[in-house]
Amino acid sequence: MAKLKTKIKAEPSLAQIGKLVAEYRGQKWALIPLFQVMQDEFGYIPPESIDLIAKALGLFPVQVQGVISFYAQLYTKPQGRNVVRVCRGTACHVRGGKTILKLAKQYLGLEEGETTPDYEYTLETVACIGVCALAPNIVIGTTTYGHMNPKKVAQLLGERKGRE
Amino acid sequence: MNLEAITITLNGREVSGQPGMTVLDLARESGVAVPTLCHDPHLDPVGACRICIVEDERSGALMASCVTPIAPGMVINTESPRVQERRKTIIKLMLASHPDSCLVCDKGNRCQLRKVASDIGVGLVEFQRIPQLATIEEVNPFIERDLSKCILCAKCIRACQELVGEGAIDYLGRGFASKPATLGDLPLEKSECTFCGTCVALCPTGAIMEKDKVYTGTTTTTVHTVCPFCGCGCGVYLEVKDNRLVRVRPDADSSLSRSTLCVKGSYGCDFVHSSDRLSSPMVKVNGNFGVVSWEEALGVVADAFKRIKETHGSSSLVVFGSSKCTNEENYLLQRFARCVLSTNNIDNGSRLYNAATHVGLWETVGCRGTTNSFDDLERSQVILVIGTDPTSSAPLVEYAIKRAVKRNGAKLLLIDPRQTKLVSWANLWLKPKVGTDVALINGMAKVIIDENMLDKECVAGKTTNLETLAKDLQEYTPGYVEKITGIPSDDICHAARFFAKAGRASIVYGDGITQNINGVGSVAALANLALMTGNIGDGRGGIYALQMENNAQGACDMGTLPDFLPGYQGVEDAQARKIFEARWGCQLPVGVGLTALEAISGAEEGKMRGMYIVGENPAVSFPNSNLVRQALESLDFLVVQDIFLTETAKLAKVVLPVASFAEKEGTFTNFDGTVQRIRKALEPFGNSLPDWEVILRLATTMNSSMPYSSPQEVMKEIAELVPLYQGVNYAKLDVKSYRLGKGQIASEKMKFSPVKYIPQPSPEDGYPLTLFVGTTLYQFGSGSRTLRASRLRKLLPEAFVELSKSDSRKLKVKDGDRVKVVSPTGEVAVLVRISDTLNQGMVFMPAFFPEGLVNGLFDIVLDPRTKAPALKTCQVRLERIEGDG
Ligand code: SF4
Ligand code: SF4
Ligand code: SF4
Ligand code: FES
Ligand code: FES
């Protein structure tokens, strides 16, 4: 699935959602493109949209929910402008990934899957991102930062702590 | 089309099959066993579990046989060493993530996972176990889920979406964490789930299980029979141990229900074990019932009937047959009434709503009921649903409608003032004012004629009287109809085009049509619509008259009617009379008998003296129940034959206990005319006897024995003497159910029948609200059985009335307040429920609350033609009960 931008807008109204969904009426196959457009537009897929999407596309609401839950890249909550993904794959794990995650949590004041109230940061974990040679790894937005250690984490995210 | 057969080699043998068959289909057809877990013939294949793999020896490829179509030249081995090895691995992986609870799991040896594992020879699992999800807390009384036992076969999900059309569950999450879940991962009772039990029956493991069972244990016998509740006629298996029902499960091979049931069929049949069951005949002495022997009870009944017949004449005797009893029993009962009691005063409860169909459809399309098969309904391109909420009254039909819409792209045209569940499936939803259906249908018919959308071939070749109809419809212009119905004229035109332009358009109607004051007219108006668009008979749409009870159609077919001998042969029809008289060796009574309600009025006036009520509960189910009760009390003699001491039975002099549907043999005829066998799974409760046996014994006690020794013999005679049932016999029925054939449709031309819209009498001042009475999914009829089903009872709310938000504001009542519902006939106190399914001015009450609660509000207003009462709507007002809320 294509990479998804994340951006933040004010919570969309039902009317806004409805307008977007209306363009896909009756097109069952269009579920994924619709999700992408929606996430582009709102930064996430508002749960209130599930019923509307289901109705417009002739699906059951649970089917829509099921597809959303299948893709890690689809969010049902607004995401921060910077999505921080700490790798929890095996290679990263053996090289201290756990500590990296602990530090990231501390600096951001977040648990996994959470977003800061100002929508600046979202913290997530991923399984192996495919650059094990650089383990342990952190990805922020689309940039990968390899050979992580506590000092580097502080450089990347420490500023955030200062602002708290 | 004769497609070329495809030949493949299967385990070294040449076999051939039709294109489109899968390797699995062909293997099974050839008697080769292949294990499966996620495959089901009624569900779209997904190829999820891979246990059905086979090897193509040419390429060495392993493939899932349930999703691989056969191709010429395949050389398939279903048991090669590689196949066996791979199957073992698959099963081991499944077991690795499965809890070690087989010994205590209630699925027991019905578990397909366990069976496949042992067939393949997998026991202990050496894989490391994967931690599992916990059991989900559910408070509903029907279903519990332990998804740690889930093998992700998706049968439950497909069953719910593809067969039932509910869409309550789908996968949530991915990988190991995924599982079938409801929207928002809530418990089932907070989801769309209707507890139909289909997923429970199809789950191969113990992940979805029946809950709160009354009796557990390992089934020792399994008996195939038919659900005893609504008129859909779902096939069920009763699993029995120690003369107790262990479980009811759907019949996967039923041509009607195909693995589905509704909550009543799945979880409501245990009323047969209710402690309220009558076990012995009873005779009332000084106001108290005393237990007596069958001989004594029947002796009292026989004496009373003889005495009344001698002193007051046969015409003072009345018999009520039952739409819940079998065809054979109804046949015997009407013979008993006609030959032994010498009266045509015989009726059955279903005629109250069915008569409009018998007359209305007969006079137009020449049918006594539903014109097309249930299967045809699903093939319709447009389905018009009017005057029924099949979601609660005929669930199987609702499933079919939803499947037609979702899977075949049919369009639903819904006509209902209430916002029922089907609304979300409708392409067009019209909300006519109450009682204006005829005007609306006439309006649509006029548009069809004016815009020249008639099926000319059908009209010219098969019908008469179009000119008269067209002339009569002149006044029903869209503008005029808009004024009457409140539906915008554009919508009326739109609906008409929508209906007329479909190649196959079907009409589904229920008691909302037949129980109106002009029931016959409403049915005929619908028939006009079907006729002018050619939607009658094979290959086209049809008219579907829904039935409330399991054997409503059959009871009428059998002639438990005051005006018809069996098979709708008139009581005055000389030829029919001759045939029956010759066979029965008796003189048939002359003249049309009294209908049930006429007989009740007669009793009140003292003209009726003795009554024999079989399996009906008029003290609750007839309008103006107070009056009915008084009438029954005033009889010289009342005998009631039932499985429970119903409100009616309490008024009787003699009560005869009978066997339930699970305790006897016979046949039921469902709403589309399918005749099916019901079979004995349990011994009759206590000293009860099957109805047919009671009737025979009573006839013998009255010195007029009837020469039958089994229901089978009765059916033999029916098939001989009733043209409609020609060809029906038990041997055939044991192989396959049988849909009554062409006998239904008249050979002569069909006839358009103009129908005038008759405005409802304007409501008396002071009763501004329209009360609807209807069914709810979890209760049935007057509730005498479902209120005694251990789990359905748990969902029983206190008696309530539903009203719209705006009315509640006007009346200053809120949810849970107590109000009085007052009609010109009676009043009842109930709780308020606010509902967004109702418009201002409408209130709703379910029909099932006992004590004749709801029907006490209705006056006896009869359809002029059929003398059936209007029992669907009446005018009421609500009064706040002060000091309450
Ligand atoms: S019980 Fe019926 S409605 Fe409920 S989840 Fe199962 S199949 Fe769906
Ligand atoms: S719950 Fe049962 S039917 Fe549903 S996916 Fe799991 S194993 Fe299959
Ligand atoms: S009540 Fe009707 S729909 Fe439900 S299982 Fe019985 S026959 Fe089928
Ligand atoms: S394990 Fe972290 S990148 Fe592979
Ligand atoms: S039965 Fe064929 S893949 Fe499951």
Side-chain angles (χ1 to χ4, degrees), chain A residues 55 58 62-63 65-66 69-70 72, chain B residues 161 167 171 173-174 182 184 406:
Chain A
K55 228 180 155 55
V62 269
Q63 288 178 297
Q65 164 185 281
S69 75
F70 186 78
Chain B
Q161 298 185 359
Y171 281 136
R174 54 188 168 273
T182 64
K406 179 117 183 161

Side-chain angles (χ1 to χ4, degrees), chain B residues 327 370-371 553-554 557-558 568 669-670 672-675 722-728 737-745:
Chain B
N327 287 322
T370 295
T371 61
Q553 184 70 44
D557 290 350
M558 290 303 112
Y568 307 98
T669 304
N670 81 334
D672 86 336
T674 301
V675 185
V722 182
L724 192 57
Y725 278 66
Q726 214 169 32
V728 178
S737 61
Y738 176 82
R739 183 165 177 262
L740 299 174
K742 298 272 179 241
Q744 288 249 344
I745 303 212

Side-chain angles (χ1 to χ4, degrees), chain B residues 590-755:
Chain B
V590 206
V592 169
L594 295 182
T595 65
L597 281 163
E598 287 173 320
I600 295 280
S601 315
E604 216 206 342
E605 292 158 18
K607 285 189 221 143
M608 292 295 125
R609 298 295 179 147
M611 212 177 269
Y612 180 14
I613 300 181
V614 178
E616 291 281 349
N617 193 5
V620 171
S621 60
F622 282 18
N624 205 342
S625 24
N626 290 330
L627 196 111
V628 172
R629 237 167 289 187
Q630 283 165 24
L632 294 178
E633 273 166 356
S634 72
L635 290 166
D636 291 354
F637 182 77
L638 173 64
V639 49
V640 174
Q641 186 167 311
D642 209 308
I643 62 174
F644 296 119
L645 193 62
T646 60
E647 290 75 3
T648 306
K650 284 179 191 152
L651 306 173
K653 170 88 176 161
V654 178
V655 177
L656 304 175
V658 284
S660 72
F661 82 104
E663 302 157 359
K664 63 186 179 187
E665 304 283 328
T667 58
F668 291 156
T669 304
N670 81 334
F671 83 101
D672 86 336
T674 301
V675 185
Q676 302 186 88
R677 277 278 275 123
I678 67 153
R679 295 186 183 82
K680 179 172 163 180
L682 304 168
E683 286 307 317
F685 184 83
N687 286 325
S688 68
L689 292 172
D691 288 277
W692 61 267
E693 205 175 328
V694 177
I695 301 165
L696 290 180
R697 284 203 194 187
L698 182 58
T700 307
T701 312
M702 295 184 73
N703 299 324
S704 315
S705 307
M706 301 197 270
Y708 315 93
S709 61
S710 68
Q712 181 162 12
E713 271 183 37
V714 180
M715 183 47 82
K716 219 168 126 206
E717 177 174 312
I718 296 171
E720 271 173 54
L721 301 189
V722 182
L724 192 57
Y725 278 66
Q726 214 169 32
V728 178
N729 70 57
Y730 278 27
K732 257 205 239 166
L733 290 180
D734 282 339
V735 183
K736 211 164 155 265
S737 61
Y738 176 82
R739 183 165 177 262
L740 299 174
K742 298 272 179 241
Q744 288 249 344
I745 303 212
S747 43
E748 310 104 65
K749 281 203 170 183
M750 301 183 267
K751 189 172 166 215
F752 286 103
S753 162
V755 183

Side-chain angles (χ1 to χ4, degrees), chain B residues 24 28 34-40 45-53 63-67 94 153 155 158:
Chain B
L24 177 68
R28 291 203 163 154
V34 177
T36 59
L37 284 168
C38 69
H39 172 81
D40 186 281
V46 287
C49 74
R50 317 309 283 186
I51 200 70
C52 66
I53 48 161
M63 49 204 177
S65 62
C66 71
V67 288
M94 281 179 183
C153 72
K155 271 187 180 170
R158 285 176 288 154

Side-chain angles (χ1 to χ4, degrees), chain B residues 147 149-156 171 180 203-205 207-208:
Chain B
L147 297 176
K149 295 175 184 163
C150 174
I151 57 165
L152 302 179
C153 72
K155 271 187 180 170
C156 55
Y171 281 136
C203 178
T205 73
I208 311 185

Side-chain angles (χ1 to χ4, degrees), chain B residues 350-361:
Chain B
S350 80
R351 206 191 58 87
L352 300 185
Y353 64 87
N354 246 338
T357 294
H358 298 152
V359 180
L361 283 189

